[in-house]
Amino acid sequence: MEAAGRWGLIAQFPAPLKGSRFARNKLAVAGVLVVAIFLLFCFVGPLLHSTDQTHTNLTQVNLVPSDAHWLGTDAVGHDELGRLMYGGRVSLLVGLAAGILATVIGTLWGATAGYAGGWVDAVMMRVVDAGIAIPALFILLVVSAITTPDTLGLILVLGLVSWLVPSRLVRAETLTLKSRDYVLTLRATGGTHGRAITRHILPNSVSTIVVAATFQVADAILLVAYVSYLGLGVQPPKTDWGGMLSAGLTAAYSGRWWLIVPPGLAIILVVCAFNAIGDGLRDAFDVRGRG
């Protein structure tokens, strides 16, 4: 999907109008609720359902769901419900942090390129075009095969391969904003380029940046699931939802559905929720959505 079609035309509107339009989008509101539920489930849930996700327990392997283990246990005796919380914590943390990192890098790069213009813009955007031509998943697989990534490593790698689309969006917004009267006035009165960017360009690009960040989080969660599913994500005893899918794949053929269905549904629900939130925010800021 092309970036312009996905993100739409962003415009500035009063906050109450944006909020009311977002609240009328039932899918977006449902997305917020789903994300909130999963955040509570993954970060508060372990306080209520304490399990050992580090040591194996070979006397409790492959147990079916029961009162003692609501989602059964896996091949090394880990409680699957606790594993789902533990893995979700990693997936959400990596997704949120990598999405924010990618948006920050892309925002700074795009704002600088768009404001500078000329040969600086041309060179910087050719770097972006070259990066977009290389699939992010390919880069992730190469890096993961060379090194053993931990949580911080995944965040950095995902952030460094995902900033390209936000940079193009912010650059397009900057090209429009830099010709506005308040920016020209600042420059005429001796204001620096940095001040123009930080005081006018970036604050007036907030809508674009927020929508970009939402989609980047969804993409990052999906990318880390891909990498972990292929066995190149965080290493045991740590896990994430993609790693749980990979570990439970063979067990699913033996009828142990509880090892693959819950993490699969979690990934689908969270990614769809963030995309729904992004769509809602985009429509709330979209000039074509007024009516």
Side-chain angles (χ1 to χ4, degrees):
M1 184 180 296
E2 293 296 325
R6 185 178 185 186
W7 305 92
L9 178 63
I10 306 299
Q12 300 294 324
F13 287 102
L17 176 59
K18 300 173 190 174
S20 63
R21 289 177 58 194
F22 182 85
R24 289 199 299 269
N25 189 321
K26 295 181 179 179
L27 280 178
V29 173
V32 172
L33 291 176
V34 169
V35 171
I37 289 171
F38 271 99
L39 287 174
L40 290 173
F41 174 75
C42 296
F43 290 92
V44 179
L47 301 177
L48 305 176
H49 182 74
S50 179
T51 59
D52 184 357
Q53 297 296 325
T54 303
H55 303 93
T56 60
N57 185 353
L58 299 183
T59 64
Q60 300 286 318
V61 299
N62 296 325
L63 297 180
V64 300
S66 63
D67 292 339
H69 302 283
W70 290 6
L71 291 179
T73 62
D74 62 13
V76 293
H78 291 141
D79 178 84
E80 190 69 3
L81 179 59
R83 199 88 176 143
L84 193 66
M85 297 175 183
Y86 185 79
R89 183 182 297 181
V90 175
S91 292
L92 290 173
L93 178 62
V94 171
L96 288 167
I100 293 172
L101 176 61
T103 305
V104 170
I105 296 174
T107 296
L108 295 176
W109 188 277
T112 302
Y115 186 82
W119 67 268
V120 175
D121 179 39
V123 171
M124 293 180 73
M125 296 318 294
R126 294 300 77 76
V127 172
V128 172
D129 292 339
I132 290 178
I134 304 174
L137 183 59
F138 173 77
I139 299 175
L140 284 172
L141 291 177
V142 171
V143 172
S144 298
I146 296 173
T147 64
T148 302
D150 54 9
T151 301
L152 179 59
L154 279 176
I155 292 172
L156 293 175
V157 172
L158 284 170
L160 292 174
V161 302
S162 303
W163 61 271
L164 303 169
V165 171
S167 71
R168 299 185 71 173
L169 296 171
V170 175
R171 171 186 175 267
E173 190 79 5
T174 303
L175 290 174
T176 300
L177 292 173
K178 76 175 184 177
S179 60
R180 298 288 176 86
D181 290 341
Y182 47 80
V183 177
L184 296 177
T185 301
L186 175 66
R187 296 293 301 126
T189 56
T192 63
H193 297 302
R195 184 177 177 84
I197 292 174
T198 57
R199 293 295 298 273
H200 294 295
I201 301 297
L202 293 182
N204 285 284
S205 302
V206 167
S207 57
T208 300
I209 295 169
V210 169
V211 175
T214 308
F215 284 121
Q216 285 303 311
V217 170
D219 290 345
I221 292 174
L222 205 54
L223 278 174
V224 74
Y226 289 156
V227 174
S228 297
Y229 179 79
L230 296 174
L232 298 174
V234 293
Q235 300 302 305
K238 292 183 178 180
T239 190
D240 56 57
W241 287 335
M244 292 178 67
L245 278 177
S246 179
L249 183 61
T250 55
Y253 293 115
S254 302
R256 295 193 288 275
W257 57 267
W258 58 88
L259 298 182
I260 193 169
V261 172
L265 284 176
I267 294 171
I268 293 171
L269 287 173
V270 170
V271 171
C272 288
F274 274 109
N275 279 319
I277 294 171
D279 286 335
L281 290 171
R282 179 197 59 194
D283 294 342
F285 290 115
D286 197 335
V287 67
R288 295 168 297 185
R290 285 186 295 179

